[in-house]
């Protein structure tokens, strides 16, 4: 098949892990006889430095025309002045919004070979297979803001339609998995959470009565994720709660460097990125784990390009490396970013041969 893929390396470790995704996609194209047209565009701090803005219109246009978009990470201390009105993160938020990517899928599947890399006891990790569906284009991130020297406001606002469309995606996913859906909110305090709860309960009663459905308050969920993570299947929640809970969930898998994500809207075009950031503390040292980026590329092959076999092959190659201890330092290994990427590519070609 032919596909146009936009690569947005971004900042910090972004370009290092993106180089590995690019090589893996080249290898997969060769193995499967596909033509992937990969074009790089600037975003985040790199775009501020080059063009004075975090999301150049040329980058947005290229993404609109693409079949899929892969992103490394944005941000870093260089652009972190609190008084600055232009920030790298605006590039990422602007792109999610411009492409209407309201559903962010963040799977968490701890691998038995890495149980020791997690601070959680191995018996708690047995059978953990979570899919967090994070609302991505609403809530506190996108509400009206007020920023004065001595006062500030971030408005949290959600409409019925915004809630229904993302809960529907989560409920459909639950049907293809273990049939459990958990809504996480703070309905004992927040008006927006009470709306989430009403709308979700209505929708589940009307259209998804076959699912096992429960509601958990977000503070309690932060605890349950560590004390009984195997009890959950699909978790759906608002933008900020989903952001925080998935960094916590990364520790079930052993490292931030392992969690991929897919951001989807109403069309097949998606944005695929690791959940971690630009990791300025290890940037430029060859220490970054490229696996979250590679697993994000696998989600792209499956969900935007419909290449299930290729997606499964890439995932299997990553997990085989993990089983064999061919991992970077964050997982207790000794491989550099590029050696870990090369180990995955060797398996890609070996399995395909
Ligand atoms: P971070 O995710 O970048 O790093 C947190 C910790 O995890 C660090 O110790 C880092 O070294 C480690 N880590 C992250 N990814 C890793 C990988 N692939 N391999 C090995 N270790 C890894 O979070 P932070 O330090 O809070 O944020 C740094 C910058 O990244 C900030 O500017 C933030 O805004 C930005 N950020 C961007 C994204 C994104 O682009 N999607 C996501 C989160 C944070
Ligand atoms: C993420 C990141 C972003 C978010 C930041 C960089 C804007 O933390 O993708 O999880 O908060 O959504
Ligand atoms: Mn985050």
């Amino acid at each position: 098949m032919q596909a146009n893929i936009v690569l947005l390396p971004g900042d910090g470790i972004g370009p290092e892990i993106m180089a590995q995704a690019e090589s893996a996609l080249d290898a997969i194209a060769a193995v499967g006889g596909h033509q992937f047209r990969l074009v790089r565009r600037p975003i985040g701090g790199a775009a501020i430095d080059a063009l004075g803005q975090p999301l150049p219109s040329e980058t947005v246009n290229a993404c609109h025309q693409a079949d899929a978009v892969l992103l490394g990470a944005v941000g870093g201390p260089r652009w972190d002045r609190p008084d600055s009105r232009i920030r790298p993160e605006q590039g990422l938020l602007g792109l999610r919004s411009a492409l209407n990517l309201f559903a962010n899928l963040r799977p968490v599947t701890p691998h038995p070979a890495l149980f020791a890399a997690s601070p959680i006891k191995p018996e708690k990790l047995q059978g953990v297979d979570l899919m967090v569906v994070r609302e991505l284009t609403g809530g506190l991130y996108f509400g009206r803001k007020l920023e004065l020297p001595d006062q500030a406001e971030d408005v949290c606002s959600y409409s019925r339609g915004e809630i229904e469309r993302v809960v529907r995606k989560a409920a459909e996913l639950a049907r293809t998995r273990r049939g459990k859906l958990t809504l996480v909110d703070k309905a004992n305090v927040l008006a927006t959470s009470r709306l989430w709860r009403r709308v979700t309960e209505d929708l589940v009663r009307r259209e998804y009565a076959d699912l096992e459905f429960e509601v958990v308050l977000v503070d309690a969920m932060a605890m349950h994720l560590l004390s009984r993570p195997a009890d959950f299947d699909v978790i759906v929640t608002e933008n900020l709660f989903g952001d925080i809970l998935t960094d916590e969930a990364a520790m079930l898998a052993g490292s931030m460097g392992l969690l991929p994500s897919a951001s989807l809207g109403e069309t097949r075009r998606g944005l695929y990125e690791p959940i971690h950031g630009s990791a300025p503390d290890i940037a430029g040292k060859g220490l970054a784990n490229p696996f979250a980026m590679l697993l994000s590329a696998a989600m792209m092959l499956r969900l935007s390009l419909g290449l299930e076999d290729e997606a499964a092959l890439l995932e299997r190659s990553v997990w085989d490396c993990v089983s064999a201890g061919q991992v970077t330092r964050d997982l207790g290994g000794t491989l550099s970013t590029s050696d870990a990427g090369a180990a995955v590519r060797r398996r890609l070609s070996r399995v395909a041969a």
Side-chain angles (χ1 to χ4, degrees):
M1 77 166 309
Q2 291 196 341
N4 288 325
I5 302 167
V6 172
L7 307 179
L8 307 173
D11 310 317
I13 62 170
E16 299 170 53
I17 57 176
M18 184 61 82
Q20 299 312 313
E22 192 167 358
S23 301
L25 288 173
D26 285 343
I28 284 177
V31 165
H34 304 301
Q35 283 187 315
F36 297 151
R37 205 171 75 88
L38 308 174
V39 297
R40 288 171 174 253
R41 290 289 179 268
I43 193 168
I48 295 176
D49 289 351
L51 300 158
Q53 43 176 319
L55 187 60
S57 53
E58 217 280 303
T59 296
V60 183
N61 291 342
C63 294
H64 268 298
Q65 283 156 25
D67 297 300
V69 182
L70 261 188
L71 181 133
V74 297
R78 274 188 58 196
W79 304 278
D80 257 354
R81 289 194 321 276
D83 57 329
S84 172
R85 296 176 61 100
I86 299 183
R87 304 179 56 84
E89 290 78 3
Q90 292 162 345
L92 178 55
L93 299 178
L95 186 62
R96 289 171 178 171
S97 182
L99 298 178
N100 195 26
L101 304 170
F102 56 84
N104 182 219
L105 278 45
R106 298 188 159 189
V108 186
T109 48
H111 189 284
L114 294 176
F115 282 4
S118 169
I120 306 301
K121 293 191 183 78
E123 60 268 26
K124 304 266 190 208
L125 298 173
Q126 207 63 252
V128 173
D129 181 7
L130 298 167
M131 175 66 82
V132 180
V133 179
R134 167 190 176 194
E135 199 289 326
L136 202 61
T137 50
L140 281 167
Y141 279 68
F142 292 92
R144 185 175 46 77
K145 290 188 189 295
L146 174 75
E147 223 160 343
L148 300 174
D150 301 308
Q151 197 197 340
E153 280 176 21
D154 299 279
V155 171
C156 186
S157 164
Y158 272 110
S159 67
R160 174 178 287 271
E162 285 177 307
I163 298 167
E164 270 182 356
R165 64 185 182 176
V166 69
V167 171
R168 230 186 218 108
K169 278 237 195 285
E172 294 293 337
L173 273 170
R175 272 192 180 148
T176 68
R177 296 169 48 98
R178 303 200 306 284
K180 276 187 79 168
L181 179 66
T182 304
L183 167 67
V184 173
D185 67 23
K186 184 78 186 174
N188 51 346
V189 177
L190 301 177
T192 40
S193 279
R194 287 191 283 275
L195 181 66
W196 268 82
R197 196 172 282 205
R198 232 177 336 109
V199 168
T200 305
E201 283 175 349
D202 279 359
L203 186 66
V204 169
R205 195 175 321 109
R206 281 199 323 267
E207 295 181 33
Y208 298 99
D210 51 306
L211 296 179
E212 190 184 326
F213 173 67
E214 64 172 340
V215 181
V216 179
L217 292 171
V218 64
D219 45 356
M221 191 65 192
M223 175 192 69
H224 295 313
L225 260 185
L226 304 184
S227 61
R228 50 183 192 92
D231 289 354
F232 303 97
D233 179 14
V234 177
I235 294 170
V236 65
T237 191
E238 63 129 85
N239 204 341
L240 183 62
F241 297 162
D243 178 45
I244 297 169
L245 290 177
T246 45
D247 269 31
E248 184 189 4
M251 293 326 292
L252 303 171
S255 168
M256 286 290 283
L258 275 179
L259 258 61
S261 85
S263 304
L264 306 171
E266 303 288 8
T267 72
R268 213 167 184 212
R269 186 192 322 104
L271 166 68
Y272 300 84
E273 53 170 319
I275 81 153
H276 64 69
S278 58
D281 51 335
I282 57 167
K285 298 182 179 159
L287 294 174
N289 183 345
F291 290 174
M293 183 81 250
L294 293 175
L295 294 170
S296 301
M299 292 186 89
M300 174 188 82
L301 292 168
R302 173 176 295 121
L303 299 173
S304 280
L305 307 186
L307 297 174
E308 171 59 36
D309 290 349
E310 285 81 348
L313 172 62
L314 179 51
E315 285 167 351
R316 195 162 65 245
S317 302
V318 168
W319 294 122
D320 284 351
C321 283
V322 166
S323 300
Q326 292 178 303
V327 294
T328 42
R329 196 183 65 170
D330 52 310
L331 295 174
T334 56
L335 295 195
S336 66
T337 306
S338 53
D339 287 346
V344 171
R345 287 199 297 285
R346 272 196 300 281
R347 287 174 193 278
L348 279 177
S349 351
R350 202 183 307 158
V351 180

